[in-house]
Amino acid sequence: MKIWLDGGLQDIESARVSVLDHGLTVGDGIFETVKAVHGRPFALTRHLDRLTRSARGLGLPDPDLDEVRRACAAVLEANPMPLGRLRLTYTGGHGPLGSDRGDRGPTLVVALGGTTRRPDSTAVVTAPWTRNERGALTGLKTTSYAENVLALARARERGASEALFGNTVGQLCEGTGSNVFVVLDGELHTPPLASGCLAGITRALVVEWTGAEETDLPLDVLERAEEVFLTSTLRDVQAVHRVDGRELPGTPGPVTAKAMRIFDERSGADLDP
Ligand code: PLP
């Protein structure tokens, strides 16, 4: 397996990043996960826009997007696979112990892992913690993911594949690695970005392609929604058949099934929508 590091391809076994890299010591980094179908990245331009926004939000220098594109192409060419996930990691780089960044500049790593098509439906639980909709990192795709890792582990213990967060004012927000949509009175809604959720790329495409409304929703909407689905790079559009203890019979319901169909058709037709 070849990855991109320090401006070129390296063997994953021998590639080395400093043990004082701020991505490791203080979680000072950002990332993107990009789906790749037969070696072609999906929605890469949107991912690179978000990478730049996250960098600016964290005060990191703008990533060199020409290099990132070259890195993605090189890693995909070196590791052919039918369905993969590119992982772009961009950190504050090697620095002194402590919070100050060093002057060696950021670290860029591009790696590739295999993935499989998601199951058509899944179970979710509500997370035992809240998302802060007004924090410094809100809306940025940073490598400070420990809270998501913990919430996901709790969800798995409860037989679910995702945990959904409410925010500090009791509104529905997002999952540990996905955005959420609900159907109420036959209409499709998703929480607005002001809820504190990540500006998911799959979410944005589904909003554009289905006309879903961005609506403030109380967390307990999950107790009465007619349909619920998740969106993310790795899940695409995935129906939810159970929320906590509540089964949603007939999953996928008609609105979810339509969103799945539209997403599959349109995303298959254009790999950089
Ligand atoms: N929310 C969080 C916290 C995420 O980590 C992700 C993706 O990893 C998403 C939402 C979904 O975003 P996307 O559709 O861009 O994958």
Side-chain angles (χ1 to χ4, degrees), residues 31 33 47 50 131 141 145 148 174-179 198-203 231-234:
F31 76 103
T33 301
H47 283 284
R50 189 170 64 187
R131 270 273 194 272
K141 201 161 165 65
Y145 245 50
N148 291 323
E174 67 176 341
T176 67
S178 63
N179 292 104
L198 185 76
I201 284 157
T202 323
R203 171 190 179 279
T231 60
S232 81
T233 294
L234 296 179

Side-chain angles (χ1 to χ4, degrees), residues 145-195:
Y145 245 50
E147 186 177 66
N148 291 323
V149 170
L150 197 55
L152 186 59
R154 291 285 180 88
R156 293 236 161 90
E157 283 164 19
R158 295 170 63 194
S161 82
E162 183 58 304
L164 296 178
F165 287 95
N167 63 17
T168 66
V169 290
Q171 292 164 336
L172 180 63
C173 182
E174 67 176 341
T176 67
S178 63
N179 292 104
V180 58
F181 287 71
V182 299
V183 177
L184 296 168
D185 294 327
E187 302 290 334
L188 187 54
H189 302 268
T190 194
L193 299 183
S195 70

